[in-house]
Amino acid sequence: MARRWRDGWGTLVVEGGERGVVRIPLEIAASYRARTKGLLGRESVDGALLLSPASSVHTFRMRMPIDVAYLDRRLRVIAVRTMRPGRLGAPRLRARHVLEAEAGAMVGWGLRAGVRVVIEAATFHG
């Protein structure tokens, strides 16, 4: 069930929480360059950022604390952590993707260990 996305936009869908189905704007960082930049230098984020593939993150040079959710290959949440700037997150062995958002956002979305998410990548025809 290998997933490959391209840099761009989409929607993160969280089901099974107390709020029912939650749809969150999602930025997808799939290239090495986009994953390396991540949320560095930003003051805020609208929704969430998906880093794929990824199994760990750091918050060096970040300006804000963030929530980090580690996802396995089936898009099930392995763990959710809040990280302050200047930290190095330990790699998660089963993690294949990482979601980042402003600190406190994921609890409001119902994102916690065991929850499975859906990634809807935007498709553009032109």
Side-chain angles (χ1 to χ4, degrees):
M1 190 187 263
R3 287 181 168 42
R4 293 232 176 231
W5 291 284
R6 294 179 183 221
D7 293 346
W9 301 94
T11 304
L12 172 67
V13 182
V14 181
E15 299 176 345
E18 296 169 4
R19 295 179 55 195
V21 176
V22 180
R23 300 176 65 81
I24 299 117
L26 181 69
E27 183 178 349
I28 300 170
S31 69
Y32 176 79
R33 183 176 185 174
R35 288 191 320 267
T36 301
K37 183 176 182 206
L39 295 176
L40 295 177
R42 297 191 198 185
E43 298 288 338
S44 65
V45 59
D46 179 28
L49 172 68
L50 173 71
L51 304 171
S52 179
S55 61
S56 66
V57 296
H58 69 82
T59 57
F60 300 119
R61 297 186 358 239
M62 283 209 179
R63 298 179 179 181
M64 62 184 172
I66 60 170
D67 282 348
V68 177
Y70 300 89
L71 308 176
D72 69 12
R73 64 187 175 98
R74 291 191 175 99
L75 301 181
R76 187 168 308 277
V77 178
I78 297 169
V80 177
R81 299 286 180 260
T82 299
M83 293 177 64
R84 294 189 323 253
R87 302 287 188 234
L88 177 63
R92 300 286 172 159
L93 293 178
R94 293 186 353 246
R96 298 294 178 266
H97 320 281
V98 174
L99 286 168
E100 296 180 341
E102 286 189 18
M106 291 185 182
V107 108
W109 301 334
L111 253 177
R112 62 188 180 284
V115 170
R116 189 169 182 276
V117 300
V118 174
I119 306 293
E120 297 175 350
T123 54
F124 298 101
H125 303 284

